[in-house]
Amino acid sequence: RIRKKGSFTNTFPSHTVPKEVRDLHKAIIEDGQLNPDFFMAGVLTGIGGMIGKGIVTKTKAPYQSHCSLFTLVVAPPSDGKTEGMKAGLEPVLDISSAEDTVYNRKMAEYNKLTPAQKADVKNNPVPKNKSFVISDATTEAMIEMCSESPRGILMYTDEGASFFSALNMYRQGGRGGDDNKWIQFFNSFSERVKRKTSGSVYAESVAVGFAGTIQTDRLLPLYAENKTSGLMYRFSMIMGAGHSRDALIDDKLVDYSDYKSLVHRIYGR
């Protein structure tokens, strides 16, 4: 299908970002296929989640701020929410996926070791997974991940409404502390989780980011359902500009190479 391209204007302060992002943002506006606001939501949330607590500012005790963000792209169905946000997230997702591949290879090699070799933990330590993007996990599992991650983790889901509906799902009576845990994640508090078999796990200054999309008509009901916890108010809402997704998405029309190189340089620091 060949469709007419959308018409977008610049609503983002692009002078505040590196040249690689600024040039790509301009090209996306001119190309007219992706909503540039949705794209920048993916850029900021993806890179912020990748950096996590690698950069921390301490304001008023016990609060401190890291680079992780809670972001929802909000627009009607078929308005290009996923395509726009994922274009900004893609280099970050690729890096995390590559870490998964490295981990799986190292674990395969580790599992070939004899029990005696595994007992030599100095020369044969258990491999750690440096992947930092997840799509679903309990808050307890996320705390464990953060305890092993030097920067933090990023949750990415294309179904923001399902995420909120699932909060506290596994708690007795549908009530529990999942929404409160996410508020603590936002505030970068230190967390401890007790495990039945191997003691407790402590994660200092938890850094968790969230990137997701949601349809406009699902947003207000979610506010009503979650108004008591205040979790919804921690999210930055990137609203659709009223443009339908009229374009045939074709990444070849826009050059992402400089942006991808920038993301890799940031991750390598």
Side-chain angles (χ1 to χ4, degrees), residues 247-263:
L248 175 67
I249 304 303
D250 184 354
D251 285 346
K252 295 180 181 178
L253 299 180
V254 177
D255 184 6
Y256 288 78
S257 58
D258 288 346
Y259 169 56
K260 291 180 179 180
S261 296
L262 171 68
V263 174

Side-chain angles (χ1 to χ4, degrees), residues 59-242:
T59 52
K60 182 180 179 181
Y63 300 101
Q64 56 185 7
S65 299
H66 48 66
C67 296
S68 301
L69 304 171
F70 287 6
T71 306
L72 278 175
V73 165
V74 185
S78 301
D79 225 30
K81 299 183 295 296
T82 300
E83 292 87 350
M85 175 170 253
K86 195 168 184 179
L89 283 167
E90 187 173 9
V92 175
L93 301 179
D94 288 345
I95 289 173
S96 184
S97 178
E99 293 287 14
D100 269 325
T101 301
V102 170
Y103 170 74
N104 290 335
R105 175 178 56 80
K106 289 184 176 181
M107 277 303 300
E109 295 172 354
Y110 179 81
N111 289 331
K112 294 178 182 179
L113 299 177
T114 65
Q117 289 173 319
K118 291 180 180 179
D120 183 7
V121 294
K122 182 178 180 180
N123 293 314
N124 298 307
V126 179
K128 291 185 178 181
N129 192 345
K130 296 181 180 179
S131 173
F132 54 89
V133 177
I134 60 174
S135 59
D136 185 30
T138 64
T139 53
E140 289 84 357
M142 293 171 69
I143 293 171
E144 290 194 44
M145 294 177 198
C146 286
S147 71
E148 298 182 353
S149 174
R151 300 181 181 179
I153 58 177
L154 170 68
M155 177 175 284
Y156 170 54
T157 175
D158 195 37
E159 296 293 338
S162 298
F163 164 78
F164 286 100
S165 298
L167 285 175
N168 303 321
M169 179 183 295
Y170 302 106
R171 307 289 183 176
Q172 186 175 4
R175 299 178 179 179
D178 282 350
D179 48 358
N180 290 329
K181 281 292 184 186
W182 273 92
I183 291 175
Q184 291 179 327
F185 291 165
F186 181 86
N187 292 329
S188 191
F189 285 171
S190 298
E191 297 284 348
R192 183 181 298 276
V193 58
K194 294 182 179 180
R195 296 186 296 191
K196 294 181 179 180
T197 57
S198 55
S200 62
V201 173
Y202 177 74
E204 183 177 358
S205 184
V206 170
V208 176
F210 184 98
T213 66
I214 190 170
Q215 295 181 13
T216 309
D217 59 357
R218 300 294 304 276
L219 186 60
L220 288 179
L222 284 174
Y223 266 112
E225 294 170 10
N226 295 275
K227 62 182 179 181
T228 56
S229 73
L231 175 59
M232 289 290 295
Y233 300 97
R234 268 72 177 180
F235 280 79
S236 297
M237 305 290 178
I238 313 302
M239 311 296 289

Side-chain angles (χ1 to χ4, degrees), residues 36-52:
D37 292 337
F38 298 170
F39 167 75
M40 288 306 304
V43 170
L44 296 179
T45 312
I47 294 180
M50 184 178 70
I51 297 174

